[in-house]
């Protein structure tokens, strides 16, 4: 039963950290909560028998991608006044409508999930199996992912160049 | 790691809750950095659902899709943050409401 | 010699083409030589052909080539030559030559010297084709050709927009008549199967009885064309405005030749008109009404050229009267004499205008008798002939017309009486002109009298206007003889004395002033009549209200393209939808996200309607 207890704890942490991340005015604070949330999800991955995915989640998501965010936020040097404006935005009149929409979506998802039945047991999938499938039937997906990353690389290089600001 | 008795629908419940929260954040925040973060949350929620389903059937496909989502997220963040820099340079703000030149 | 007749229109035509093509490279002397010489050569050629013809008066036909061949319709470029053609050709080339010579001095300082002679030569060529044509289609070609030349020459000084306006008016108004005439030609062809004038007349005489409806319609349509070209009621309004052109043009086109084309047309197709007595009556009435209307109007005008223009309308009215009563030869005779004296008067007025710095108002002239003797005597003789004083050319022709009008059974005496009134008015207004311009005290100083190039045509035309009445025109074979008994002698005496009475009245009113008209003129009725007659009986005003303004109104309406508005509605609906959809593009990213989420929820809700088992 330990795993189940751990799962509920991780799930609670993930949800709480996400809610906090979404409501922070300060970007760095939000980012740290987000990292916590990602780590909690990594725990869930581990618990449901996907250790390889859990490792990737930590290394790439919580590590590389979030570090990128940190870099950019540091570069932009957002001041206290930006935080103040962000706080002002969190008024009920602003989030009431979106919250209703989100709730509707969640309710529908809930309804769909409630119909799911089946065995409660999970089966572990080792990194070896994943690797075999990845370079077997899914080799095309690997190619597509590599092209996507290349496109991302070129795109971010282009957008990051400084001369673009001289076009003004 | 044997004896995993976590019900699938509980994991899916967590996943859809995360997705909804991410979407809510997407809708209420104006700062483009938060918008990107919300997108990450939503992608992560989808990834969780995939991995859970893969584990449920004992198949590697879920994790492979997870890796695809990971690469999409990486590419999206790289381009998105490049755009953030440009937005900051051009509009001197990160408020997306002021970047409305596409008005029809 | 007769085979050379095709050269007569060809020479002026070639000269015109040459002047058009190389006008920039020719010295003025050569332009003058070419312009005058070509018409002179045509005149000489006409003279020699005429001599041959008079020696052996046999009409002949000359087909040069087939113009076109469509089924059984094959009009040729073919000329027909008889006495009537000869008279017309002589007038056109003879008077035309004198007017061309006059023009060399009149237009001396004009920048567009070559253009002027190119148009004038082209006019002579077209007019010759008109009178020589063997079929009505070729005649129509010449008919339209002279119309174009008239348009070009009225608007010759096109830098002044009023002249362009006058040219357009002349063109549009005559076009109405020309359209009627074209319809007449089509009707004649469908009914008779040919447009060759001689065979057409023969077929018509076999096919139709006197009083049939079809010839009546055809004649009225032809009359429409003639009325338009010859400036008769109701299509006369263009001629006074056509005086905007150079004065020699007015002399040649708008007095001597082109405006008499309608008379020629009716005379040429007289067999048709004889088949429709009603149309003859219409011709006579149109002629008489026009003649009186124009005479009254001429009495009131102060512009020297407008007086002569209305006088021309009036005199052509006489010719129509003659045609209407069947006095064909008299009508053509009057056409010829009128060409002489009216050309003389117009050239005289041209000389006055030329040496008086383009002054047109007769009340600003005066006392020119001693200063411009050549012009004075030309005007005296011209006016005498116009007024039909005894022994002048106009006397013989007008006398014939009046007598034969009287001889017409039925309405004859009434037509005669109307003609007499016209003759009286003619004498009054023509001598009013002479007394006002040449007698009295001088008001403007002329630059001198005419040079030889003006004087020679004037003197020669003086001679023609004097002795023209003794010519015997060789048309006896062309027209049927006039029947009816000669009226009593008193009729003739009255006809002779009326112009003299007119002369006396003009003398008493305008020269010695023993009859004072001032009280009559200044009374309210007098003023009203004066204005009414001065404006040409308000016909221009009427046409402006009835045709021109409604037309402008209609075109103003059509300018907004009401039909397009239907399609415009489709556009407007699309644009409205586009506008609404464009409103959705706020440029706000949150708005887009909200829309997407909303759409996602809707789609998901729809998906939930499908039972999971079915997936």
């Amino acid at each position: 039963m330990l795993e189940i207890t751990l799962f509920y704890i991780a799930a609670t942490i993930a949800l709480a950290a996400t809610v906090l991340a979404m409501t922070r005015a300060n970007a760095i604070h939000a980012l740290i909560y987000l990292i916590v949330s990602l780590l909690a999800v990594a725990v869930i991955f581990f618990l449901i028998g996907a250790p390889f995915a859990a490792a990737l989640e930590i290394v790439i998501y919580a590590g590389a991608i979030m570090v990128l965010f940190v870099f950019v936020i540091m570069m932009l040097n957002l001041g206290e006044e930006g935080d103040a404006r962000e706080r002002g935005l969190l008024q009920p009149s602003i989030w009431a409508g979106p919250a209703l929409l989100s709730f509707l979506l969640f309710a529908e998802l809930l309804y769909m999930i409630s119909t799911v039945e089946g065995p409660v047991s999970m089966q572990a999938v080792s990194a070896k199996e994943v690797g075999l499938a990845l370079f077997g039937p899914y080799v095309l997906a690997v190619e597509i992912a590599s092209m996507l990353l290349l496109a991302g690389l070129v795109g971010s290089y282009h957008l990051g160049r400084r001369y673009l600001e001289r076009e003004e | 790691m044997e004896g995993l008795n976590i019900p699938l629908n509980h994991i899916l419940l967590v996943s859809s809750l995360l997705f909804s929260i991410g979407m809510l954040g997407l809708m209420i925040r104006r700062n483009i950095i938060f918008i990107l973060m919300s997108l990450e949350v939503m992608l992560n929620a989808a990834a969780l659902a995939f991995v859970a389903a893969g584990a449920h059937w004992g198949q590697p496909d879920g994790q492979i899709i997870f890796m695809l989502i990971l690469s999409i997220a990486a590419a999206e963040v790289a381009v998105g943050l490049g755009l953030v820099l440009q937005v900051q340079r051009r509009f001197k703000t990160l408020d997306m409401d002021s970047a409305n030149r596409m008005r029809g | 010699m007769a085979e050379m007749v095709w050269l007569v229109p060809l020479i002026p035509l070639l000269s015109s083409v040459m002047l058009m093509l190389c006008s920039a490279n020719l010295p003025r002397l050569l332009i003058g030589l070419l312009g005058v010489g070509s018409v002179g050569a045509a005149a000489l050629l006409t003279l020699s052909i005429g001599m041959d013809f008079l020696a052996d008066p046999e009409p002949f036909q000359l087909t040069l080539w087939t113009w076109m061949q469509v089924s059984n319709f094959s009009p040729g470029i073919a000329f027909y030559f008889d006495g009537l053609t000869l008279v017309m050709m002589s007038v056109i080339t003879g008077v035309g030559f004198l007017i061309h010579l006059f023009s060399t001095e009149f237009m001396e300082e004009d920048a567009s010297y070559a253009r002027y002679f190119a148009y004038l030569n082209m006019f002579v060529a077209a007019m010759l084709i008109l009178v020589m044509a063997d079929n009505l289609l070729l005649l129509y070609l010449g008919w339209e050709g002279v119309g174009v030349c008239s348009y070009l020459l009225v608007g010759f000084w096109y830098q002044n927009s009023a002249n362009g306006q006058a040219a357009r008016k002349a063109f549009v108004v005559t076009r109405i008549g020309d359209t009627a005439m074209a319809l007449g030609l089509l009707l004649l062809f469908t009914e008779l199967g040919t447009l060759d004038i001689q065979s057409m007349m023969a077929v018509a005489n076999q096919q139709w009885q006197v009083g049939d409806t079809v010839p009546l319609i055809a004649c009225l349509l032809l009359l429409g064309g003639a009325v338009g070209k010859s400036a008769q009621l109701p299509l006369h309004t263009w001629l006074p405005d056509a005086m905007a052109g150079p004065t020699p043009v007015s002399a040649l086109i708008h007095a001597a030749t082109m405006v008499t084309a309608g008379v020629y047309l009716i005379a040429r197709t007289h067999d048709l008109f004889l088949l429709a007595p009603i149309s003859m009556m219409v011709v006579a009435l149109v002629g008489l009404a026009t003649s009186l209307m124009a005479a009254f109007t001429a009495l009131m005008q102060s512009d020297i050229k407008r007086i002569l223009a209305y006088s021309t309308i009036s005199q052509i009215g006489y010719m129509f009267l003659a045609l209407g009563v069947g006095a064909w030869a008299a009508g053509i005779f009057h056409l010829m004499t009128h060409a002489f004296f009216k050309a003389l008067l117009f050239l005289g007025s041209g000389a006055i205008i030329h040496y008086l710095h383009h002054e047109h108002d007769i009340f600003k002239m005066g006392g020119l008798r001693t200063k411009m003797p050549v012009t004075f005597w030309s005007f005296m003789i011209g006016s005498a002939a116009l007024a039909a004083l005894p022994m002048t050319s106009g006397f013989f022709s007008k006398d014939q017309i009046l007598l034969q009008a009287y001889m017409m059974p039925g309405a004859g005496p009434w037509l005669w009486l109307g003609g007499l009134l016209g003759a009286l008015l003619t004498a009054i207004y023509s001598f009013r002109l002479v007394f006002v311009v040449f007698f009295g005290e001088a008001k403007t100083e002329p630059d001198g009298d005419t040079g030889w190039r003006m004087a020679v045509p004037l003197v020669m035309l003086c001679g023609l206007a004097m002795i023209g009445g003794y010519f015997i025109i060789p048309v006896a074979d062309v027209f049927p003889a006039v029947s009816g008994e000669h009226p009593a002698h008193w009729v003739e005496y009255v006809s002779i004395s009326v112009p003299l009475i007119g002369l006396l009245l003009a003398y008493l009113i305008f020269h010695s002033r023993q009859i004072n008209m001032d009280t009559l003129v200044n009374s309210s009725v007098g003023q009203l009549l004066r204005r009414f007659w001065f404006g040409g009986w308000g016909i221009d005003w009427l046409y402006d209200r009835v045709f021109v303004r409604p037309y402008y109104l209609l075109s103003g309406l059509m300018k907004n393209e009401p039909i397009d508005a239907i399609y415009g509605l489709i556009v407007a609906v699309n644009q409205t939808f586009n506008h609404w959809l464009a409103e959705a593009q706020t440029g706000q990213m949150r708005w887009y996200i909200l829309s997407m989420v909303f759409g996602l929820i809707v789609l998901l809700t729809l998906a939930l309607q499908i039972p999971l088992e079915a997936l």
Side-chain angles (χ1 to χ4, degrees):
Chain A
M1 294 306 286
L2 180 66
E3 295 91 350
I4 295 177
T5 317
L6 280 176
F7 167 72
Y8 286 122
I9 293 170
T12 312
I13 291 172
L15 289 170
T18 310
V19 169
L20 287 168
M22 292 293 104
T23 51
R24 288 309 88 184
N26 185 300
I28 292 290
H29 295 172
L31 205 57
I32 289 168
Y33 280 119
L34 188 57
I35 291 170
V36 170
S37 158
L38 293 175
L39 290 176
V41 172
V43 169
I44 294 173
F45 283 168
F46 193 76
L47 287 175
I48 60 176
F52 184 57
L56 287 178
E57 176 93 358
I58 292 167
V59 172
I60 297 176
Y61 240 127
I65 295 177
M66 288 304 126
V67 166
L68 210 57
F69 268 100
V70 172
F71 274 161
V72 171
I73 291 165
M74 294 299 182
M75 270 174 75
L76 295 177
N77 193 19
L78 299 171
E80 191 59 36
E81 61 202 289
D83 292 358
R85 197 179 63 226
E86 290 294 325
R87 256 183 236 111
L89 289 173
L90 296 178
Q91 301 292 329
S93 61
I94 288 176
W95 56 256
L100 181 68
L101 282 178
S102 299
F103 179 75
L104 275 176
L105 185 68
F106 174 68
E108 282 183 335
L109 289 173
L110 199 63
Y111 171 72
M112 291 170 85
I113 292 163
S114 67
T115 60
V116 173
E117 295 162 23
V120 290
S121 66
M122 293 275 173
Q123 293 159 35
V125 179
S126 69
K128 183 185 173 190
E129 286 176 74
V130 175
L132 282 174
L134 196 59
F135 292 99
Y138 281 101
V139 71
L140 195 65
V142 174
E143 294 295 331
I144 290 171
S146 68
M147 279 187 215
L148 181 69
L149 288 171
L150 181 66
L153 182 69
V154 174
S156 55
Y157 171 73
H158 177 73
L159 286 170
R161 277 193 297 182
R162 290 196 66 84
Y163 75 79
L164 279 177
E165 73 186 297
R166 262 181 272 129
E167 286 177 6
E168 300 277 318
Chain B
M1 297 299 289
E2 288 301 320
L4 307 164
N5 293 321
I6 303 162
L8 176 63
N9 44 13
H10 286 195
I11 303 175
L12 290 179
L13 180 69
V14 172
S15 163
S16 49
L17 259 176
L18 281 175
F19 189 83
S20 301
I21 294 166
M23 203 167 69
L24 184 61
L26 188 70
M27 285 187 285
I28 60 174
R29 301 307 295 248
R30 292 191 192 178
N31 190 316
I32 188 167
I33 299 235
F34 283 94
I35 288 171
L36 285 177
M37 279 188 211
S38 308
L39 281 176
E40 294 303 315
V41 171
M42 288 165 75
L43 282 170
N44 198 36
L48 178 58
F50 273 115
V51 173
H56 179 72
W57 301 108
Q59 298 288 330
D61 308 51
Q63 292 190 42
I64 287 163
I65 298 297
F66 166 71
M67 284 156 75
L68 273 179
I69 291 175
L70 210 60
S71 53
I72 288 171
E76 172 248 318
V77 164
V79 174
L81 289 175
L83 284 170
V84 169
L85 292 178
Q86 290 296 333
V87 167
Q88 171 70 9
R89 279 178 196 165
R90 295 193 178 210
F91 300 107
K92 306 298 175 208
T93 176
L94 291 177
D95 189 351
M96 284 315 289
D97 283 4
S98 61
N100 58 358
R101 279 198 206 163
M102 288 281 280
R103 182 178 167 78
Chain C
M1 203 64 208
E3 296 75 43
M4 305 289 278
V5 77
W6 55 273
L7 270 176
V8 178
L10 186 66
I11 295 169
L13 190 65
L14 282 180
S15 155
S16 167
V17 170
M18 272 177 73
L19 285 171
M20 278 180 203
L21 293 183
C22 12
S23 59
N25 308 320
L26 293 178
R28 286 177 100 79
L29 183 67
L30 197 58
I31 293 170
L33 276 178
L34 204 55
V36 180
S38 61
V39 182
L44 284 176
L45 207 56
T46 307
L47 191 68
S48 58
I49 294 170
M51 290 300 175
D52 281 9
F53 179 79
L54 288 180
D56 175 26
E58 190 58 39
F60 64 90
Q61 197 231 20
L62 182 70
T63 304
L64 297 183
W65 68 84
T66 303
W67 189 359
M68 57 183 98
Q69 174 88 49
V70 184
S71 180
N72 61 342
F73 176 59
S74 55
I77 299 290
F79 297 134
Y80 180 78
F81 193 90
D82 64 3
L84 177 59
T85 315
L86 177 62
V87 172
M88 292 302 289
M89 280 172 71
S90 311
V91 169
I92 295 161
T93 55
V95 176
F97 168 69
L98 295 176
I99 290 170
H100 272 73
L101 184 59
F102 183 90
S103 297
T104 55
E105 186 174 336
F106 187 85
M107 300 298 285
E108 211 166 19
E109 283 137 32
D110 200 281
S112 306
Y113 198 58
R115 184 162 65 93
Y116 176 82
F117 278 108
Y119 290 166
L120 219 53
N121 278 352
M122 189 158 80
F123 167 78
V124 170
M127 191 71 202
L128 285 169
I129 289 172
L130 197 167
V131 298
M132 290 164 69
D134 181 44
N135 58 64
L136 283 177
L137 197 69
L138 189 60
L139 185 147
Y140 195 68
L141 177 75
W143 188 273
E144 295 295 324
V146 294
V148 168
C149 293
S150 162
Y151 166 77
L152 291 172
L153 284 163
V154 170
F156 183 74
W157 288 314
Y158 56 87
Q159 288 91 343
N160 183 347
S161 71
N163 294 345
Q165 195 95 34
R168 277 200 298 283
K169 185 173 175 185
F171 202 67
V172 170
V173 174
T174 49
R175 187 98 351 242
I176 296 166
D178 292 356
T179 309
M181 180 173 161
L183 291 176
L185 295 194
L186 295 175
L187 178 67
L188 285 173
F189 180 72
T190 44
E191 289 293 323
L192 300 174
T194 177
L195 280 179
D196 287 351
I197 297 169
Q198 304 309 318
S199 49
M200 203 169 91
M201 297 304 152
V203 176
N205 274 322
Q206 288 172 7
Q207 199 169 320
W208 290 325
Q209 301 299 312
V210 173
D212 277 357
T213 322
V214 181
L216 176 63
I217 296 170
C219 284
L220 289 178
L221 286 170
L222 288 183
L223 176 64
V227 155
K229 204 55 131 191
S230 293
Q232 297 294 292
L233 274 175
L235 296 178
H236 69 284
T237 54
W238 63 272
L239 188 60
D241 287 348
M243 294 300 128
T247 311
V249 169
S250 310
L252 179 61
I253 300 184
H254 304 120
T257 53
M258 186 190 87
V259 287
T260 57
V263 180
Y264 170 77
L265 177 72
I266 293 175
R268 186 46 99 190
T269 56
H270 64 275
D271 283 347
L272 274 182
F273 280 82
L274 284 172
L275 288 172
I278 299 174
S279 68
M280 296 270 288
M281 201 60 216
V282 173
V283 171
L285 289 178
V286 163
L288 186 64
T290 311
S291 157
L292 290 177
M293 184 277 303
F296 274 115
T297 312
L299 209 52
M300 291 300 150
Q301 301 300 312
S302 59
D303 182 319
I304 186 167
K305 286 185 75 179
R306 283 182 88 88
I307 297 174
L308 292 176
Y310 277 109
S311 147
T312 305
I313 296 175
S314 171
Q315 293 306 306
I316 297 170
Y318 267 107
M319 297 175 210
F320 270 64
L321 175 63
L323 299 175
V325 300
W328 312 103
I332 294 299
F333 191 40
H334 193 56
L335 187 160
M336 185 186 76
T337 55
H338 172 257
F340 296 152
F341 62 72
K342 191 50 67 67
L344 175 62
L345 284 171
F346 261 113
L347 292 186
S349 76
I352 294 171
I353 290 166
H354 188 65
Y355 285 102
L356 238 55
H357 321 291
H358 297 276
E359 180 58 67
H360 281 219
D361 191 342
I362 57 169
F363 293 108
K364 291 182 180 158
M365 303 168 183
L368 293 177
R369 180 169 38 122
T370 47
K371 286 163 190 144
M372 300 181 77
V374 178
T375 315
F376 167 63
W377 283 109
S378 331
F379 244 89
M380 276 304 280
I381 292 167
S383 298
L386 173 61
L389 295 187
M391 299 307 125
T392 60
S393 62
F395 167 74
F396 290 99
S397 54
K398 204 178 275 187
D399 199 42
Q400 276 188 30
I401 292 175
L402 287 176
L403 282 184
Q404 293 187 22
Y406 187 84
M407 280 152 63
M408 189 190 173
W414 293 105
L415 294 174
W416 175 75
L417 218 56
L420 273 189
L421 178 59
L424 179 72
L425 290 169
T426 306
I428 295 177
Y429 71 68
S430 46
F431 281 100
R432 165 179 178 261
L433 184 60
V434 169
F435 287 131
V436 170
V437 172
F438 291 100
F439 294 85
E441 75 268 31
K443 287 168 189 150
T444 335
E445 198 61 24
D447 287 344
D449 202 1
T450 49
W452 71 270
R453 283 174 298 172
M454 280 188 177
V456 167
L458 286 176
V459 170
M460 289 188 74
L461 283 171
C462 278
L464 287 171
M466 284 308 289
I467 62 159
Y470 298 100
F471 292 170
I472 295 164
I473 54 171
V475 292
D477 297 334
V478 182
F479 300 121
V482 182
S483 58
E485 63 186 279
H486 204 273
H489 280 299
W490 65 268
V491 173
E492 212 157 337
Y493 296 145
V494 170
S495 303
I496 294 169
S497 53
V498 158
L500 294 170
I501 295 169
L503 170 59
L504 191 67
L505 277 175
Y507 177 78
L508 292 176
I509 296 171
F510 296 108
H511 189 55
S512 71
R513 300 193 182 276
Q514 278 169 332
I515 300 180
N516 198 335
M517 299 290 281
D518 288 349
T519 46
L520 185 62
V521 168
N522 290 330
S523 68
S524 60
V525 179
Q527 281 294 332
L528 200 70
L529 267 184
R530 198 184 124 83
R531 242 178 292 135
F532 186 56
W533 288 346
F534 184 79
W537 296 55
I539 290 170
D540 263 329
W541 179 86
L542 187 71
Y543 287 175
D544 187 52
R545 295 298 151 97
V546 177
F547 298 113
V548 178
R549 295 216 187 161
Y551 184 77
Y552 276 140
L553 197 72
L554 195 66
S555 45
L557 275 179
M558 286 298 158
K559 199 170 74 178
N560 300 329
E561 303 187 31
I563 307 295
D564 263 17
I566 297 167
Y567 303 102
L569 194 68
I570 297 173
V571 174
V573 167
N574 276 318
Q575 277 179 338
T576 312
F577 276 121
N578 167 53
H579 191 66
W580 289 347
L581 289 177
E583 281 296 305
Q585 295 286 320
T586 57
Q588 305 253 336
M589 202 156 93
R590 287 192 314 141
W591 166 255
Y592 298 146
I593 296 168
L594 275 171
S595 316
M596 276 167 67
V597 171
F598 185 75
L600 177 68
I601 290 169
V602 169
L603 281 179
L604 213 53
T605 313
L606 288 176
L608 283 179
Q609 308 305 312
I610 305 167
L612 277 179
E613 291 75 26
L615 291 175

